[in-house]
């Protein structure tokens, strides 16, 4: 049993990036990770947005679950824009992410802060509070996309 | 008793039918969503696995954060294997996901349960508890991949 456990742990461990500084072995891993986090976040922001705009019936429990998912993931993409992760697989990262890193960090921090407020609003169960928070979340998404996300994918 | 049973069945039916059908406009959206959730989960299981196997230094706070991310995402992929989501973009879902849906659900439920135990172990801060939980998590990942994930992508 112990040997099986150790073998399983070794196999799982092999999936992780070895260097302590980087959680990603290849630029492709970082790109895939950040795109994946954004995909799940976008889906759940969309679900809350549908409720906030009246396109879907308000379900307080579902909204709170989605907001918790978005808040849990919000800080992840920003960890995966390390040097050299502009190429490796098709992605939409603009060069300004690295050439204007301070502005990019500010935009990322703003998103994280607004998502935290959305999470608190959703936990309160108030649709009006969710609507207000969603406006700011949507604004933070759009601002960062406008400045740092290209129209088309490049490799 | 019969009315209670019928009401229960109706409620279960609604739970099963609503999320998958309503939250994804196209099969491609569901495939991308479940692949994205698995990508982020795999990365963070890998980080904990690296600590559990001694390939990375143990960082209790980082392990707990990763376990929380995995636990928050664990129930998401299972909502995105609705009928018709076998095709739409390249993916590795085997036909058995739909032809042996009960077994797939059991494998998915097992993973969710083991991830919840990992989350509790990581919150405790005990590396030994994390190691024990990781063995079961890794086993649940492997069992489901063996039965329901194809070697190669198909469209």
């Amino acid at each position: 049993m112990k040997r099986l456990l150790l073998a399983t742990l070794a196999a799982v461990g092999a999936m992780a990036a070895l260097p302590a500084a980087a959680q990603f072995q290849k630029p492709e891993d970082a790109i895939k990770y950040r795109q994946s986090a954004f995909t799940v976040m976008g889906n759940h922001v969309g679900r809350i947005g549908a409720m906030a705009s009246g396109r879907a019936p308000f379900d307080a429990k579902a909204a709170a679950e989605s907001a918790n998912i978005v808040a849990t993931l919000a800080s992840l993409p920003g960890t995966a824009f390390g040097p050299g992760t502009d190429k490796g697989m098709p992605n939409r990262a603009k060069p300004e992410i690295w050439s204007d890193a301070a502005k990019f960090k500010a935009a990322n921090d703003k998103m994280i802060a607004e998502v935290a407020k959305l999470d608190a609003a959703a936990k309160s169960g108030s649709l009006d509070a969710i609507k207000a928070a969603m406006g700011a979340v949507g604004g933070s998404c759009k601002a960062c996309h406008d400045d740092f996300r290209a129209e088309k994918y490049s490799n």
Side-chain angles (χ1 to χ4, degrees), chain A:
Chain A
M1 182 60 198
K2 193 177 178 190
R3 282 181 64 182
L4 176 63
L5 176 64
L6 289 174
T8 304
L9 290 177
V12 171
M15 292 169 9
L18 281 180
Q23 300 292 350
F24 310 103
Q25 289 187 314
K26 304 186 301 291
E28 179 186 343
D29 296 338
I31 296 169
K32 196 175 171 189
Y33 174 88
R34 70 199 188 206
Q35 289 180 343
S36 293
F38 280 136
T39 292
V40 177
M41 289 169 68
N43 179 285
H44 286 276
V45 167
R47 296 186 199 199
I48 303 170
M51 297 183 210
S53 65
R55 285 179 286 119
F58 179 51
D59 177 334
K61 184 168 177 287
E65 287 173 357
S66 279
N68 178 55
I69 290 164
V70 178
T72 302
L73 296 178
S75 65
L76 305 188
T79 66
F81 285 93
T85 63
D86 55 330
K87 289 183 170 55
M89 65 177 277
N91 73 93
R92 298 166 71 183
K94 280 189 181 176
E96 286 78 4
I97 288 171
W98 296 277
S99 66
D100 198 350
K103 188 178 178 186
F104 179 64
K105 184 182 184 306
N108 189 56
D109 288 349
K110 172 80 172 162
M111 176 274 286
I112 293 170
E114 297 302 346
V115 162
K117 290 180 200 167
L118 173 63
D119 190 31
K123 278 187 172 64
S124 80
S126 157
L127 181 56
D128 283 342
I130 291 171
K131 285 180 182 174
M134 273 299 292
V137 166
S140 74
C141 294
K142 184 177 185 305
C144 197
H145 291 169
D146 285 350
D147 288 339
F148 298 107
R149 189 177 71 167
E151 282 293 310
K152 295 183 179 177
Y153 283 83
S154 59
N155 204 340

